Amino acid sequence: MASYLIRRLALASLTLLLITFVVYALIRNMPGTPLTADPAMMDPSKQISPEEIDRLNRLYGLDKPWHVAYFSWLKNVVQLDFGRSISQNNAPVAELIRERVPATMLLSVSSLVLTYLLSIPLGLWSTVKSGTRTERTVSTVLYMLYSLPSFVAALFLQILLAVKLQWLPLYGMSSDNFETLSTVGKTWDVFLHALMPIICFTYGSLAYYSRFIRANMQEVVRQDYIRTARAKGVSPGVVVWRHAFRNTLIPLVTLIGLTLPSLLSGAVILEQIFTWPGMGRLYFEAIGRRDYDTIMGLTLMFSVLTLLGQLLADLLYAVVDPRVTYD
Amino acid sequence: MPEPTNNMMMEENDQASLGFWGEAWQRFRRRRLAMLALCFVVFMCLMAMFAPLIVGTKPIVCKYKGNIYFPCLGYYNRSWENPIFRKDRFRNRYPKNLKTKDPESWAFFPLVYQDPYRRVRDGEWEDRPGNPSGTDGSPSRLNWFGTNQQGYDVFAQMVHGTQIALSVGFVSMGIAGVIGLTIGALAGYLGGWVDVLLSRVIELVMCIPSLVLILALVAMLDDVTNFHLMAIVGCTSWTGIARLARAEFLKLKQMEFITAARAMGASRWRIMFRHVLRNSLAPVLVPITFGIAAAILIESGLSYLGFGASPPNPSWGTLLKSGRSTIQQTWWLIVFPGVAIFLTVLAYNLIGEGLQEATDPRLRQDSH
């Protein structure tokens, strides 16, 4: 086990090194630098003189070729210094990212919890009721939802719930008078703002997971041990829950590991539509501003989470399935 | 018709067997929803191909000063529109100019007189008001799906935008398929250090956030065309295909018919491309179909974010973007393109699923 872990971690750090190298090369070769790509600099009165730009370039190390700059970035990261955002008044990147965590987690965690809470009963229900008319209708609706792109759904929901019915606020995370509200009022306000984004984050994975559970269940209920359980008079509920569902947990558990990066990654287009101050928006803004250190910090975080998630999935696999060992 | 290489697929009676693809087609045809989706995609392809005949302001065919011209070809390629019209200062206003400059002329116009690239003005067509602009362009008799803020007809943009959506899907997945199959084939068939190396490359591309990759590549271009987008999407979405192809090659190279081919003295490349590749095509086709749906999503998403092809670009995503900016008033700029994107993605998903069930031998044994 230990040797397996060490091997996996070594391989992962090699991959990580390669990813950051490639991404650094890519973003440093995009035209423009943080000093020239800032929209505020477009104003002629605020433009900096070429000499000043030269000075700043030297100051921030932007005059060095990108491969040299990469290694100095790497050296800082190893010392846990993730750099500073030039376009945001030299704010530390770690701080910028930490600021966005709550907003992103609010959406991703509640959507994840909702997905599991709803998809498991839904998947089991459609296995039990397989073939009936209501089950087929529900499955068709779920399939359609699965194919509905989330940004299209987001725009449709905005038109329906915010513009036509005016039940929910159109975008943002809080109202203008947020500061004046009581604690309960604040929570309610954020809840109202978060409702549409959460729906958009949830429905797609809900459809995917319940279809996934149903497909796995249908494979399992054909097995001999299910027939045996039924034959010896176990009640249908216990058969489904204890005999069948527990055996579909293996693929489900591996999926949990793979959702790890999505907890923090946010979604660029959705956050853009709802002007939600999350990670995806930070990423998008950072790319637009050529904010190298922020892009690298976020890329590093996503890559670490992705690789960790894969490792976690493989390890969980061994936990839930005793036949799998890594010795 | 390729010879049936896989004896597993052959029927045992004396009738001439259909071959693998024939049988898969029969299976596919039995699925009503998949067939419906296929019909929808064919319909969209026809619409994309004949968009200038359906909606446009350039005549399909006209007689002008004694010659027959096809000005609508200008929608496919600007240089295919006969230069005589530019010389005679038509300025894309065909109906009036044809009449005043040559009373003898006649012309067949497309079904709908609207243009995806400009606003139709007052009186261009006799007794017809011009397109409303701003947020007044709600759907009407003249503008079926309304107009955008500049007064361009939404229906015209959507019909012409079909070309973008479909070609992005097909071309980018074609590119991704070629890259993915080649890399997967080399890794799976050759094995050894080639496999280790290529597997690392696949993992690397998989782990790089695709948005960074795409946005960085788009940012490096000055003038983004749809072909650039296709190439970029193709170059970033081949990893799933490569992994599947690798697994297929690993599995197939152990089969008896490969040993037989080797025993008969077939060269390594011949075995790889004639025997193994042909048998691994079916499983690879499934992620390609799903990939087309994903590519259409990426394209419209990029256009929505403002990173799509440079304007004028009547992409569905661009329409959504302009609709979002005035969402309080212009619901038609979101609902119609949104439904189009949804239906296209749904159709490709249904086809992909149909293909999967028609070609997967594991599912077949269950049904027998």
Side-chain angles (χ1 to χ4, degrees), chain B residues 126-138:
Chain B
E126 236 165 84
D127 302 330
R128 260 181 69 159
N131 289 347
S133 63
T135 55
D136 304 327
S138 56

Side-chain angles (χ1 to χ4, degrees), chain B residues 227-290:
Chain B
F227 289 104
H228 288 130
L229 282 187
M230 291 172 203
I232 289 171
V233 174
C235 291
T236 51
S237 52
W238 51 267
T239 47
I241 299 168
R243 270 159 70 110
L244 199 76
R246 176 177 169 269
E248 278 298 310
F249 269 71
L250 271 178
K251 189 181 79 190
L252 284 170
K253 76 174 181 187
Q254 310 285 351
M255 306 259 278
E256 285 92 346
F257 69 94
I258 299 301
T259 320
R262 197 176 295 137
M264 285 174 74
S267 76
R268 186 182 254 190
W269 300 104
R270 189 185 159 83
I271 293 176
M272 228 169 104
F273 287 106
R274 258 193 95 78
H275 298 276
V276 187
L277 182 65
R278 190 175 278 175
N279 284 294
S280 62
L281 268 185
V284 171
L285 216 55
V286 176
I288 288 184
T289 320
F290 289 127

